[in-house]
Amino acid sequence: MDIPTTPTDNNGLPSSETQTNRRRRKKSIVWEYFTIETVGAGSTKAFCKQCKRSFAYITGSKLAGTSHLKRHIALGICPVSRQKNQMTPFTPGSKTAATDAPKRRSRANSGYARVSFDQDRCNHDIAKMIIMHGYPLHIAEQLGFINFVQTLQPQFNLVSWNTVQNECVGIYLREKQNLLNLISGIPGKVSLTVDLWTSNQNLGYVFLTGHFIDDHWNLYRQILNVIMVPSPDSGDTFSQAILTCLSDWHLEGRLFTLTLDQSLSNETIIGNLKGLLSVKNPHMLNSQLLLRNCYARVLSSLACDVLVAMRETIAKVRESVKFVKTSESHEEKFVQLKQQLQVPSTKNLSVDDLTKWDTTYHMLVAACELREVFACLDTYDPDYNINILLEEWKQVETLCTYLKLLFDAANIVTAPVYPSANVFFQEVSRIQMELMHAAMSVDPFVSYLMRPLYEKFDKYWENCCLVLAVAVIMDPRYKMKIVELEFNRIYGENAETWIRIVDDGIHELFLDYMMQMLTLPETPMDEGNDSIIKTEAPEEASQEGSLLSSVDGLQDFELYISDITGGQQMKSELDQYLEEAFTDRVEDFDVLVWWRLNRMKYPTLSRMASDILSISVSTVASDSVFDTEIKRMDSYQTSLGPATLEALICAKDWLKYGSFPQPPAL
């Protein structure tokens, strides 16, 4: 093996040319933190040794330089380096500060000093901070903030309100384009939810959120628009807001379902919406999938009704809890009495928040477990004079039983990751069955308390049971059998009629998708042609495919299928799916992963499943599921212009999930 040698002069010393080259190749300090790797023809990237993030370095003949690499380390942008600095001062080029040689530390410090201050980057990060945390735009003009930032970086220049606003809007516009590109590239449709907020000025703010599944079977729930309407009571304004959203995001003809806030679900508004949307959006199953009420709002309405029905008894319990929790001496005596009575409860008393019904439920549950202590408290603490009868405690206990039913059902939509539509059928059918039995109870108190709830929930059940049933059928662990089981429990001898409605509905829906994805031949086929129609894969099928919506077109389709199969019925993807064995019910089962893995086996049915499983049954965010009042904009938010407010709210929602994946370049 040849060993390379260093060129020398006549005296055996390194030549002057070699010494000059060595001086030229003196490494920048950033290469103590980065490595260089070739990632493709003519493309070289720098990789951070700490967080492994890649950065542009050489693309073709263009050299990106090292300034952005210095900022990554010097400004604490690198998350790994920043985490280490929280424990020990991190000195570049060494494992710990304590083991660094003085010369190495001096070299590192000079490296930090050479990083130039970037005012534009600071402006961008301030705007991003304001968006992500909901800070007021004028925070950058407040003295405390200015002093703090200038202590960290004396070169920081004051930023005006207008500069911050423009930067925030710029972030919003960039993220909006990214999201628009993502939605434009999905193979299926989009479902919308419509939620209403109000303000002290009696203005309405319509939140429109899009729900869809991308071609990698990721489920998205993103706020698309926040539109101010002059009157929250006007149905026309909501219709116009929805049409604006469809136009803004190029969703004409791609709307699948619409879920409304309960306050918007009157017959006039629904009638107007059906008429407007039917112009450009083909409604499947005669619009039976199109509109429904918000799941969380319905549950909150039921909880509020039953709490109002028992408001006098609940008020006694609330005052008892306040007596204990608002005085240290009272609470101390209460704890002592609990220990003497050896009450085993581990619940902690807390006063409820009247704007959140789940807090009232938790208060009542804790008080019920400690009712023995409350019953004796007047003899132990003479200041306590609230008398709650034994019969009243029994009624509170019964109330908690049914509140738990609603609480467990509502908890589905409080998770950070919004669930797919297949998980709701069993919970909703369980509520329907339990309330039905309670309404017919021989206990007069239970019947009195639950009958109004059952009558209200029954209307919701009739409106949503079809779409929820279709969604759970798309779960390979349950398919049609879970629908048959639940309908037999609810309807008894009449179950077969309802089962047939669902079975006919899902087959009709599948036929709609077959017609959309079917590519008919341009020229008539010869009578003797034995070729079979092939459906396109979801990734290749056109969303604008031939729609055979007329009766005559459907008859032609059936005759054509009959001809090519010799009069024998061809088993569809749907029938094949329904007849195959069930998937095991494992704890970590992910229905979207299952369909992603089986999309080639069921090209048409998987397209249908992606639209159905992305349907949202609730319009509210996870932190608003238990609200008893409509959300209100605060005074600062209403002081902003509509466009700025929309930019801040939407961008905050989008930044929570990082950057949206972009479709590959053509």
Side-chain angles (χ1 to χ4, degrees):
M1 177 177 176
D2 294 335
I3 300 176
T5 57
T6 302
T8 59
D9 58 15
N10 295 332
N11 297 322
L13 299 174
S15 65
S16 59
E17 179 182 356
T18 301
Q19 295 177 12
T20 302
N21 289 338
R22 284 181 177 176
R23 285 194 296 269
R24 288 176 184 170
R25 289 196 298 267
K26 185 177 180 179
K27 293 174 66 178
S28 168
I29 190 172
V30 301
W31 302 121
E32 295 181 16
Y33 312 100
F34 292 86
T35 59
I36 299 176
E37 295 181 22
T38 301
V39 296
S43 177
T44 302
K45 289 190 176 183
F47 290 83
C48 177
K49 295 179 181 179
Q50 298 289 335
C51 66
K52 310 304 180 185
R53 183 178 172 186
S54 64
F55 298 81
Y57 184 55
I58 299 175
T59 303
S61 60
K62 295 183 179 179
L63 180 65
T66 60
S67 297
H68 61 305
L69 307 181
K70 293 177 182 177
R71 287 196 296 270
H72 181 69
I73 296 297
L75 298 182
I77 300 172
C78 175
V80 178
S81 177
R82 184 169 63 247
Q83 185 176 9
K84 290 183 178 180
N85 282 331
Q86 293 175 358
M87 303 298 297
T88 58
F90 178 73
T91 303
S94 63
K95 295 182 179 179
T96 61
T99 60
D100 269 346
K103 183 177 181 180
R104 174 65 68 186
R105 286 196 298 270
S106 174
R107 181 181 175 186
N109 290 335
S110 66
Y112 277 92
R114 288 198 297 269
V115 177
S116 60
F117 171 67
D118 190 337
Q119 180 71 43
D120 291 337
R121 177 61 182 268
C122 286
N123 294 350
H124 174 83
D125 287 345
I126 289 173
K128 193 172 181 180
M129 174 193 73
I130 288 172
I131 291 172
M132 294 177 65
H133 302 291
Y135 298 142
L137 290 172
H138 56 266
I139 187 175
E141 296 179 335
Q142 294 176 347
L143 181 60
F145 178 80
I146 294 172
N147 290 339
F148 171 70
V149 175
Q150 289 189 332
T151 299
L152 298 177
Q153 175 51 263
Q155 299 181 54
F156 175 76
N157 295 323
L158 299 183
V159 182
S160 68
W161 186 94
N162 286 332
T163 299
V164 172
Q165 181 190 40
N166 292 337
E167 194 69 46
C168 288
V169 172
I171 293 174
Y172 159 75
L173 293 175
R174 286 190 292 273
E175 293 298 324
K176 181 177 181 179
Q177 185 60 53
N178 291 338
L179 180 56
L180 183 60
N181 293 341
L182 174 63
I183 293 176
S184 299
I186 66 172
K189 298 179 183 294
V190 176
S191 291
L192 288 180
T193 58
V194 186
D195 193 28
L196 174 66
W197 289 33
T198 62
S199 70
N200 293 332
Q201 294 81 12
N202 197 33
L203 296 172
Y205 294 85
V206 181
F207 282 63
L208 296 116
T209 304
H211 305 257
F212 58 91
I213 291 175
D214 68 7
D215 54 356
H216 299 291
W217 287 88
N218 299 308
L219 177 61
Y220 287 84
R221 173 190 174 101
Q222 306 291 162
I223 298 176
L224 302 182
N225 292 95
V226 179
I227 300 176
M228 187 184 75
V229 294
S231 175
D233 302 323
S234 172
D236 292 338
T237 56
F238 295 112
S239 299
Q240 189 57 48
I242 293 170
L243 293 178
T244 298
C245 176
L246 296 179
S247 174
D248 200 16
W249 294 89
H250 307 162
L251 295 178
E252 298 95 337
R254 300 183 65 193
L255 177 65
F256 189 56
T257 67
L258 192 65
T259 304
L260 301 176
D261 183 312
Q262 192 177 14
S263 62
L264 307 178
S265 300
N266 62 61
E267 293 182 2
T268 302
I269 294 178
I270 290 177
N272 290 342
L273 286 175
K274 283 186 176 181
L276 287 171
L277 298 176
S278 62
V279 176
K280 293 186 177 181
N281 292 273
H283 296 162
M284 299 179 178
L285 291 182
N286 195 26
S287 299
Q288 293 179 76
L289 300 182
L290 180 61
L291 293 164
R292 69 198 44 81
N293 290 341
C294 171
Y295 172 77
R297 297 286 195 199
V298 169
L299 297 181
S300 292
S301 177
L302 297 180
C304 289
D305 288 349
V306 75
L307 291 174
V308 168
M310 288 191 61
R311 57 185 175 276
E312 295 180 0
T313 303
I314 294 173
K316 286 185 178 182
V317 176
R318 183 180 293 113
E319 290 304 313
S320 297
V321 174
K322 285 182 179 180
F323 175 85
V324 174
K325 299 300 293 182
T326 56
S327 169
E328 292 184 2
S329 62
H330 292 166
E331 186 167 14
E332 183 178 349
K333 291 179 181 179
F334 186 87
V335 172
Q336 291 173 354
L337 179 58
K338 175 188 174 184
Q339 293 172 348
Q340 289 182 14
L341 296 173
Q342 298 183 349
V343 176
S345 172
T346 58
K347 301 289 185 182
N348 294 320
L349 288 175
S350 60
V351 182
D352 61 335
D353 177 357
L354 296 181
T355 66
K356 299 277 188 180
W357 67 265
D358 62 315
T359 63
T360 304
Y361 163 67
H362 290 306
M363 179 188 73
L364 295 176
V365 169
C368 268
E369 291 194 4
L370 295 165
R371 60 186 175 185
E372 186 179 349
V373 184
F374 282 110
C376 301
L377 188 58
D378 58 341
T379 61
Y380 198 80
D381 189 340
D383 292 335
Y384 180 74
N385 56 9
I386 302 172
N387 182 27
I388 303 178
L389 303 176
L390 178 60
E391 183 64 25
E392 291 177 317
W393 280 117
K394 290 181 179 179
Q395 292 177 354
V396 171
E397 191 172 23
T398 299
L399 170 64
C400 289
T401 300
Y402 290 100
L403 282 178
K404 184 180 187 305
L405 177 69
L406 303 179
F407 175 78
D408 291 343
N411 250 338
I412 298 176
V413 287
T414 60
V417 179
Y418 192 81
S420 50
N422 58 298
V423 306
F424 292 95
F425 176 79
Q426 290 161 279
E427 282 296 331
V428 174
S429 61
R430 185 166 69 96
I431 296 174
Q432 172 73 1
M433 184 175 63
E434 294 291 343
L435 293 182
M436 180 179 64
H437 290 166
M440 298 183 294
S441 174
V442 295
D443 185 327
F445 174 73
V446 173
S447 177
Y448 159 77
L449 196 64
M450 292 294 112
R451 184 177 290 112
L453 271 66
Y454 168 66
E455 292 173 354
K456 177 179 287 189
F457 192 79
D458 187 55
K459 295 179 181 178
Y460 174 73
W461 168 254
E462 290 185 4
N463 177 257
C464 74
C465 68
L466 176 60
V467 67
L468 296 183
V470 170
V472 79
I473 293 172
M474 293 294 99
D475 190 327
R477 298 171 297 173
Y478 302 109
K479 302 184 183 179
M480 193 69 189
K481 294 302 180 183
I482 191 67
V483 176
E484 296 172 0
L485 174 65
E486 296 298 336
F487 279 9
N488 276 299
R489 288 175 175 174
I490 295 172
Y491 298 113
E493 60 184 16
N494 297 322
E496 187 59 35
T497 300
W498 291 89
I499 293 171
R500 176 55 57 189
I501 291 174
V502 173
D503 187 66
D504 291 345
I506 194 169
H507 278 85
E508 181 181 340
L509 187 61
F510 177 73
L511 185 58
D512 284 339
Y513 275 84
M514 282 285 293
M515 291 189 294
Q516 289 185 47
M517 298 184 68
L518 184 65
T519 303
L520 295 176
E522 295 182 0
T523 57
M525 300 179 64
D526 295 336
E527 293 182 0
N529 196 333
D530 294 330
S531 62
I532 299 176
I533 295 177
K534 295 182 180 180
T535 55
E536 295 179 347
E539 294 79 8
E540 300 173 352
S542 170
Q543 285 294 314
E544 303 296 330
S546 301
L547 292 176
L548 305 179
S549 57
S550 67
V551 175
D552 291 338
L554 183 56
Q555 290 174 344
D556 290 342
F557 171 79
E558 292 174 344
L559 291 172
Y560 183 69
I561 293 295
S562 177
D563 287 341
I564 65 175
T565 57
Q568 298 179 356
Q569 183 178 4
M570 184 173 62
K571 184 178 292 186
S572 69
E573 291 177 26
L574 175 60
D575 291 328
Q576 180 185 349
Y577 164 77
L578 293 176
E579 292 174 7
E580 288 184 344
F582 296 95
T583 300
D584 293 338
R585 289 187 290 115
V586 294
E587 185 176 353
D588 58 347
F589 178 78
D590 189 328
V591 68
L592 300 184
V593 171
W594 190 92
W595 278 105
R596 177 171 60 82
L597 296 176
N598 288 273
R599 66 187 185 278
M600 300 305 293
K601 182 178 181 181
Y602 303 112
T604 303
L605 189 61
S606 65
R607 175 72 65 83
M608 174 174 141
S610 70
D611 290 341
I612 292 172
L613 294 174
S614 64
I615 294 174
S616 175
V617 303
S618 179
T619 67
V620 300
S622 59
D623 61 348
S624 303
V625 169
F626 298 103
D627 286 358
T628 59
E629 300 176 354
I630 294 178
K631 283 281 190 180
R632 284 186 174 272
M633 292 287 185
D634 59 37
S635 57
Y636 165 71
Q637 291 173 316
T638 55
S639 69
L640 300 172
T644 301
L645 180 62
E646 180 180 49
L648 293 174
I649 293 176
C650 290
K652 179 180 180 179
D653 180 66
W654 302 339
L655 291 177
K656 286 190 300 186
Y657 304 95
S659 298
F660 298 110
Q662 296 303 300
L666 299 178

